[in-house]
Every structure is written in structure tokens, then in C-alpha cells.
Amino acid sequence: MRYLAVVTAAAFLLLLEGNCLAQTRLNATEIEAKIEVLLGQMTLEEKLGQLHQLSGLANGAYNPDLLELARKGLLGSTLTVRGARMANELHNATLESRLKIPILMAFDVIHGYRTLFPIPLGETASWDLKAVERASSIAAAEAASAGIHWTFAPMLDVARDPRWGRVMEGSGEDVYLGSEMAKARVRGFQGSDYGQKDKILACAKHFVGYGAAEGGRDYNTVDMSERRLRETYLPPFKAAIDAGVDSFMTAFNELNGMPATANKFLLREILRGEWQFDGLVVSDWNSVEELINHGLAADKSEAARLSLNGGTDMEMNSATYRENGAKLVESGKVTIETINSAVRNVLRIKYRLGLFEQPPFVSEQHEKDTLLKPEFLQAAREIAGKSLVLLKNENETLPIDINKIKQLAVIGSLADDKPNTLDWWPGDARAADSITILQGLRDYVSAANLTSSVAVTFSKGCESVCDSDKDFAAAVIAAGAADFVVVVVGEIRSVSGEAASLSSIDLSGRQLDLVKEIAQTGKPYVVVLKNGRPLTINWLAENAPAILVAWHAGTMGGPAVADVLFGAVNPSGKLPMSFPRSLGQIPLNYDYKNTGRPFNASAPLRDTSRYMDAPNTPLYPFGFGLSYTTFRIDELNLSAERVQNGESVRVSVQVQNTGNRAGEEVVQLYLRDVYAAITRPMRQLKGFQKVALEAGEKRQVEFVVLPEDMSFLDEAWKMTVEAGEFEVFVGNSVNADLMGKFTVEGSTPTAAPTGATTVITSTQASSAQKNVARLALYLVFILLALN
């Protein structure tokens, strides 16, 4: 009987397996087989069409010529076309084509689609990986409902020059933090399978070195050593691959004399060779044709040749591939196999997205039901609150005690500027849906259960560009009549983002003069900064009683600022990028190396590495941010003082909330390899944990320092751990002073050479997970039958 039961269970499972297989997606082998069949049916013109991405209109509509190209099967992808109706009309056009190859629809969903979250630099300031992943997941769900398959995010450029406008789009100055954020955003956008209906394909950009543009000037030349490239700028991209990202975008810049879009070293040797990447590489906007401006290509035909041979699969917007590809193949300057390989990479993504399995139509009703869901807006409010960074809070100026004021004055045009609630990359967000800081404060006061009313007054002080003081007097009167003043200053949306480099990062116009006028009233005040980059704010740091960095905080930024100012949310953000004292310190990053004459305050002025007219240190360092409560981090303990090479070290500390209210602290671990064959930075972030503690609560926080954390690239570009001394620092910023030491003994264990790691795509990972689940089902049923 038991044997019969086992056989019966197995037969049932085989039937179940057959039904599952009928409903599951194609596996990797099946996808490759279908690609080869389809490739064999395509004309050269159709192949070149697959390598072309064309833009629609800014409002989301398509150009009529896109429909015609789709009907002919000559359009691989679109950019900016969005909305269920527009998407469905394009898909209908592809069904009229000979091979009915679906179109890949792309859009810049950088930090939200209709529900806008804080700029990525602001999200990173939360130091909350789950929150960042959640934001990207919501963005994916909204975008997918509007017919989008592909976003050009996350931006993974390490950025150490705040003059560069695109620092707002990334994760700041640190390699480790940027890598962790890269993985979180890829997981959010793609999930375990980006072919799911509420997920989209992520894109790792800009490959590579774009954040190191000379002078902080966008699109400018980049020249760096291969060591700096591999140690600082490549790791976030490799982290994205490890998280399953399946597309890359080339950078606008040249790197060491070769523009990234035609750079075989980057695209073929590193990306395809060392990292075994089998996804899609797309150029940035017009960057193929711009090889002419770089002085690399003499004409469009040469630009197409260099990009195709260099490893760029798809051309964004310009049409050099489509116009010149056939002649290049005919002349032998580009082989047909190069074309076929690029087309395979495009088709592979479309199969992994599931676009071939059924026409990729989307429901207009589903789109309507998905956008701006209440739970999405609440998430945007919560995540914006986590991103705010309290830089100063003298004499507990904040939070505002709403029961002790009768009038609150809000000063500054940016507090009531709907268009500037958005930023350079607003997705499909609408200013009309955003809540300003002024409205957020008024809504909070209105909803509070107060024994006496509180009036919230407003005076703009000056226009958003603040080039005149004609309205200062009215602002001073409003501030003088109030019990507390909120001064909102910073940047308008157009001065941070692409092509928004600045030669000065001071508060623009007369904004600082306005703050000084308010300070003269003697009323308690807080300066709220709306910014897309670190600013030089020395006067504020010395004189303002409280400073809150709000970034460009998105749709629900106003309520989030109100939550923090009134104390409903305890600020927990930490800076992902140092705030410099002056432009002369730039580029500024905490993970600097020592010199032969390191800084020594007691040394003669000319015998140490220092500025003669300013401190070396930033105004506010990386990882810094205050709370309305206080925390103590102590009792550092290492699992061992001596370990063998290849072993890990456990590091624990006790963290206690020593204040009178609940709060969150970001506990940060930094590591230094004291002596090495290749000189190492003074400190490098290697771990962090965000810990929520009630007032008085104490908890042990543990980190594991892995061999990979102790390693560095040797002269052969292999990861190596050398025997020797390591220093561990734990605290709540890069200035952590709790320190321990351990020693590594012995040589590095034999490891696979760089690039030999097997890369599992997100689709393959999903298939593997399903197989494991099926095996588990088999075992459960067999065990049940045996019992």
C-alpha cells in the first residue's frame, strides 16, 4: 500500500508538473533557440530596425512615423511614448508587420512614474535599502501599468564633484553605499523576474566614469588610471549585474581618449568578457552620432561602424545604424555576425520580458487604478521623511512644539512653488498632484487636535530665483509677527540634473541675504534646504539655529517636511555626499589616501598636506545626520584579534537610545588595511545597519567583515587579501572614533581569476527558484505518502 501511495503521489506531481510547464515562461535554452529561428527569418533591414530606438513626443504621444516604422517591422524600441492607449496603438501597428516583433517601450522612470519619490541622492540619504527598493518597486508598478517595459535607471555613477548637476540622480560619493543602493533599485524595478506584469527592466548607467567629468562640467572629458576605474567607478555596475540587471547604457564621455559608446575595452573586454554580461547595451541620446563631435568619427557611417564594432547594440534617437548599416556590412567594415549578435541581445530582452508570449497590450482601466494609489502616496510620504537630513539643531530648536505657538510664518517662494516640487527627472508626475511645503504645514496644523488655533502665514520674500530684495520687508514683517519661522531656500528644479553644472554652489541670488534679514528679527527659525546637490552653506552652519536638508522630495515632500518639523517623524537621514566648505576642496571624498606628509595640525604649515587658508575637512561629513534623540555606540567587540587569510571577523557594538523619544540610528562600519602592496584609503565603508530604538532601549548590532571586504585589486587585477593589520571603526558617521584592530595571517587562498564568476540572469534565477520549489513539492508529497 505504501508503494502504491508513493507511485500515486508521484503520478499526481508529474501531472501537476505538466500543467505548470504549460503555463511557465520559456527557459534560457528555449529562448536562444527561438532567437536563432527568428534571426534566420529577418532581413538585414529588419535587423537594423531592431537596433534603433526612436523618441516620441514629450507628452507621451508617438510621432506618426513611429507607427509606419512599426507596421514595417523596422522599429526596435521607443523612448518617452507612454500611457496604455498610446502603447496599445503601437502594439497594434507591430501586428501588421511581417514578423510581428514587439516593440520595447522605454521611459526615464528615475525615482517614480506618476508618484514621485525623493531624488535618488535623497533616497540614498535614507540609508534604508528596503525603503529604496520599495520606491523603485512602486515606480515599476505604475510605469508597467502605462505600458512601459524599460527604465533608464539606476544611475550608478560615483560622484565626488557637487558642481556636476547629475549628482542628484545617483547615490553620492561612496563605492560601497552606491553598490548597495544599485542592488536595491535593481531589485525594486525588476523583482525576481522583470517579465512580471508589475515589473520593468532596469538599466545600469552611465557606463562608465561619467561622474568624473573634468571640472564637474557635464559631458566633459574623463581621464583616470585603470586602478581608479576598477576600484571606484566599476564596482556599482558589477553590483547591479550581481542583482540581475539586464541592460546597460553607455556614457556620454570619453574615457582615456576613447568615447564610451565605442569603447571596446569597456563594452567587450570588461562587460561582455570579464563579467559575462548577455543583456542589452544601449547608447545614450545621440551619443553614437556625437562620436563625430568627439573627433573620433569623420561622418555618420564611421560613427555607426565604431559603435557597432565597439559593442553598443542599440542606438538611441540618432539613426546612423539604420542609415549606414547595410553598406557597412556590404563593405565588410562591420560583419553580419556583429549585427546578428546585437540583434540577439535585443531579442533576448524581449523574450525575457515575455513580450512574445502574448501581445503586450495594457488595460487603460488598470492604468487608471494603479497611478497615485493611496498606499503609493503614503509610501512616498514615509520615504521622503526618511530621506531628510538634520544638519543642525541648536538648543533643540526642533521639533516645533505646536502647542506653544499661535502663529507660524513660512518664508521663501520655494515653499509654495508647485512646479518646483518636481525636478529634472519627474517621470510622468504632475505638479498639480504634488503638495508643497506650505500646504503640508497647513494640512498638518489643520489635522492636529489643538486646544487653540495656529495660523500659518506666508511671505515669499523674493521670487524663486531671488534676484531682488523688493519683497524682503514684507517677509520680515511676517516673521516678526510669528512665534516660529520656517525659511525655505535652495535650488529651483532646472539647476540640478542633466546639463546643469554650476561654477558656484552657494545659495543663489539674494537667498542668503533673505535668511540674514529673518535672523535679525530674533525669532526662532529653521532653514529648510530644497536642493539637488551639496551646497556651500558656511554662514548657515555658523548662525542658523536649525538646518534641515529636504532635497527635491517629490509628490509628498510637503507633508514629509511637516512631519519632521513638528516631530511626528524623527529625522534619521545621513549624508551620502560630503558638504564642502568651499569649491577649492572639490573633489571631496572621505576615502582619501594618506600621503608621505599626512595632515598634522601641529606640523609646520609647509610640511604637511593641507590648505593654508581653510581646513581639509568638509563642513558636514559623509554619513552625518542628527536626530531629535541621542544615541550611544560603545562596547566594540571583535570575534578574534588574529584570523587566517580567508576567514571572517565578527564585529559587534552596543547601541543605546539615550534620549527621550524613539528614533533610528544608522550604525556604520569602516575598515582600513593599514599596510598593503597597493596603498589603501584611510577608511572605507564596509557595512551599515539602520536600527530603530525606543527611548532608553539598548541593542547589540553585529557586522561580519568578510574576506572580500579586506581585499583589494593587486597588480594583476585579482582580488587579494594580504597578511597584516586592519583597523575597524564603528560610529554614526565617517568620523567614527570607536576603533578595534585585527591581524590577518597567511597568504590569500586560491581564487578564480577576475571575470570567471558565473552570471545568472534574473530570468534564469527565476527558473532555478521554480525548479527548487517543484523539488520541494515532490519531497512533501512523497513524505506524506510514506506516512
Side-chain angles (χ1 to χ4, degrees), residues 417-437:
D417 187 337
K418 281 264 190 181
N420 276 301
T421 58
L422 307 181
D423 62 272
W424 188 252
W425 295 116
D428 197 54
R430 314 292 167 83
D433 296 325
S434 294
I435 301 176
T436 65
I437 292 175

Side-chain angles (χ1 to χ4, degrees), residues 32-52:
E32 295 306 312
K34 285 186 174 291
I35 288 172
E36 293 308 312
V37 171
L38 186 55
L39 202 59
Q41 297 172 333
M42 297 173 71
T43 65
L44 179 56
E45 185 182 24
E46 288 169 333
K47 291 175 182 179
L48 294 171
Q50 286 300 303
L51 306 184
H52 198 195

Side-chain angles (χ1 to χ4, degrees), residues 221-226 229 253-259 263 265:
T221 300
V222 175
D223 196 290
M224 68 175 69
S225 69
E226 186 172 351
L229 174 70
N253 56 279
E254 69 167 62
L255 177 67
N256 301 339
M258 179 57 65
N263 198 312
F265 171 66

Side-chain angles (χ1 to χ4, degrees), residues 41 113 117 161 190 273 300 376 380 524 573 584 627 702:
Q41 297 172 333
Y113 180 74
F117 291 86
D161 190 334
Q190 294 191 169
K300 293 181 181 180
F376 291 175
S627 169
E702 185 174 279

Side-chain angles (χ1 to χ4, degrees), residues 445-711:
V445 169
S446 177
N449 185 20
L450 302 175
T451 55
S452 59
S453 63
V454 173
V456 179
T457 63
F458 172 71
S459 181
K460 64 182 180 180
C462 56
E463 301 299 331
S464 294
V465 292
C466 203
D467 55 2
S468 169
D469 63 356
K470 65 183 180 67
D471 295 313
F472 280 17
V476 168
I477 292 171
D483 301 302
F484 196 97
V485 185
V486 176
V487 186
V488 182
V489 292
E491 297 184 308
I492 58 175
R493 64 189 295 261
S494 60
V495 300
S496 60
E498 185 173 347
S501 299
L502 296 175
S503 63
S504 170
I505 55 173
D506 295 340
L507 287 174
S508 62
R510 303 290 302 278
Q511 290 184 96
L512 184 56
D513 293 335
L514 175 61
V515 178
K516 290 179 178 179
E517 290 290 324
I518 300 304
Q520 287 295 317
T521 66
K523 294 300 177 79
Y525 70 98
V526 57
V527 175
V528 176
L529 293 174
K530 253 180 71 67
N531 51 313
R533 55 162 59 82
L535 301 173
T536 43
I537 53 170
N538 294 353
W539 190 92
L540 298 182
E542 292 173 8
N543 298 281
I547 305 171
L548 182 69
V549 176
W551 314 106
H552 295 299
T555 305
M556 299 298 288
V561 169
D563 289 341
V564 169
L565 290 180
F566 285 117
V569 170
N570 193 345
S572 61
K574 302 284 185 178
L575 293 179
M577 198 170 178
S578 306
F579 271 48
R581 298 176 188 273
S582 70
L583 285 177
Q585 293 180 304
I586 294 170
L588 183 64
N589 49 282
Y590 80 85
D591 59 340
Y592 61 88
K593 292 186 176 183
N594 227 359
T595 69
R597 295 184 176 184
F599 172 70
N600 182 346
S602 61
L605 187 62
R606 295 186 183 275
D607 292 340
T608 184
S609 179
R610 65 184 296 177
Y611 295 107
M612 298 183 73
D613 59 348
N616 288 15
T617 56
L619 183 64
Y620 292 107
F622 175 81
F624 175 80
L626 301 174
S627 169
Y628 294 153
T629 189
T630 53
F631 297 92
R632 183 172 62 241
I633 303 173
D634 58 13
E635 298 182 40
L636 175 67
N637 182 62
L638 275 61
S639 60
E641 293 184 356
R642 310 186 80 84
V643 296
Q644 290 300 306
N645 207 319
E647 294 180 343
S648 300
V649 176
R650 293 187 177 274
V651 179
S652 65
V653 293
Q654 293 292 329
V655 184
Q656 184 173 13
N657 182 342
T658 55
N660 58 9
R661 65 171 65 212
E664 291 182 290
E665 180 62 292
V666 179
V667 186
Q668 303 163 39
L669 182 145
Y670 297 85
L671 191 66
R672 181 191 179 197
D673 185 347
V674 181
Y675 301 102
I678 302 294
T679 59
R680 308 306 305 140
M682 293 295 288
R683 294 187 183 193
Q684 288 182 297
L685 181 69
K686 293 298 181 180
F688 62 90
Q689 293 184 41
K690 193 160 192 175
V691 184
L693 297 172
E694 295 296 322
E697 184 181 359
K698 187 175 185 179
R699 187 181 308 168
Q700 179 172 289
V701 173
E702 185 174 279
F703 299 91
V704 179
V705 179
L706 300 169
E708 65 190 63
D709 298 320
M710 310 172 202
S711 67

Side-chain angles (χ1 to χ4, degrees), residues 84 96-97 251 290 318 332 514 539 628 652 692 748 754 772:
E96 298 177 34
S97 66
E290 288 172 7
S318 53
L514 175 61
W539 190 92
Y628 294 153
S652 65
T748 304
T754 302
V772 171

